[in-house]
Amino acid sequence: MHMANVTEVRQNASKIIAQVLESGEPAVVLQRSKPVVYIVEASAYEEMLKKLEAAETLFRAEEAKSALQEIARLRGKMAQRGKQQDSVPLIRELREGEGR
């Protein structure tokens, strides 16, 4: 990975971009010896965005799965206690108008 400070980027931006495109490796821009910006190929950046979106979708799906498992666990616990009937038949009956 190529490293350049801000001054070098100002003076040699075209050269640094050409190196990134030629090598396929990103360049890091340093300011006061700390990384502040990476220069990457547009296609590599777009690919990173796609992967991030896919990871976020997977994370949301896993969260939903966990929530459904927790609901199922709680329903099972409630059914074992016998304190409350399953409300699904009642709701279905009311929705379909059979309860009138």
Side-chain angles (χ1 to χ4, degrees), residues 7 13-14 28-29 31 35 48 54 63-64 76 96:
T7 303
S14 296
V28 62
V29 179
Q31 187 173 40
M48 283 188 286
E63 282 184 325
E96 293 173 0

Side-chain angles (χ1 to χ4, degrees), residues 14-77:
S14 296
K15 179 182 172 186
I16 294 169
I17 292 170
Q19 286 177 340
V20 168
L21 294 174
E22 184 179 310
S23 69
E25 293 289 319
V28 62
V29 179
L30 306 171
Q31 187 173 40
R32 295 188 180 108
S33 300
K34 294 182 181 174
V36 291
V37 173
Y38 286 89
I39 301 172
V40 297
E41 289 182 83
S43 61
Y45 178 75
E46 290 167 1
E47 185 65 27
M48 283 188 286
L49 288 179
K50 286 179 187 176
K51 287 179 181 180
L52 179 60
E53 186 177 311
E56 287 174 345
T57 300
L58 180 61
F59 180 73
R60 284 192 300 274
E62 287 297 320
E63 282 184 325
K65 181 180 175 183
S66 294
L68 290 172
Q69 288 173 341
E70 180 65 11
I71 289 169
R73 185 187 71 76
L74 291 172
R75 287 185 81 189
K77 191 174 181 180

